[in-house]
Amino acid sequence: IRDIDYTNEKRIASNDKELNRVLGGGIVPGSIILLGGDPGIGKSTLLLQFALSSNNKKNPLCFR
C-alpha cells in the first residue's frame, strides 16, 4: 500500500479529517467509494454525517 502513488489525482477534501486520511487526501471526482462492514458498525451513520456536513451551496460535495 505504501507504494501506491495517489498524489497525482485531484481530490476534493471533505469536512472530516479522518475520512480524508482514509481516502488518501479526499474524494477523487468521478470515483466510486464502496463502504462495507458488519451490521451495526456505523456505515449509515457515517454517510449521514458526511451528507449533513456537505449540505451547503459553497461546498463542491453538495448533493443536488
Side-chain angles (χ1 to χ4, degrees):
I1 290 180
R2 295 177 197 264
D3 295 335
I4 297 172
D5 182 24
Y6 59 85
T7 57
N8 294 334
E9 298 292 333
K10 182 177 179 179
R11 296 178 184 267
I12 302 170
S14 73
N15 294 332
D16 187 331
K17 291 180 183 180
E18 187 65 17
L19 182 60
N20 290 336
R21 185 189 69 79
V22 170
L23 296 176
I27 299 169
V28 177
S31 68
I32 296 174
I33 300 167
L34 177 63
L35 182 64
D38 293 330
I41 202 163
K43 299 176 295 290
S44 297
T45 302
L46 176 67
L47 292 175
L48 285 170
Q49 287 176 341
F50 174 74
L52 289 173
S53 70
S54 300
N55 192 15
N56 68 59
K57 293 181 181 180
K58 293 181 182 179
N59 191 325
L61 297 175
C62 180
F63 297 99
R64 295 180 185 162

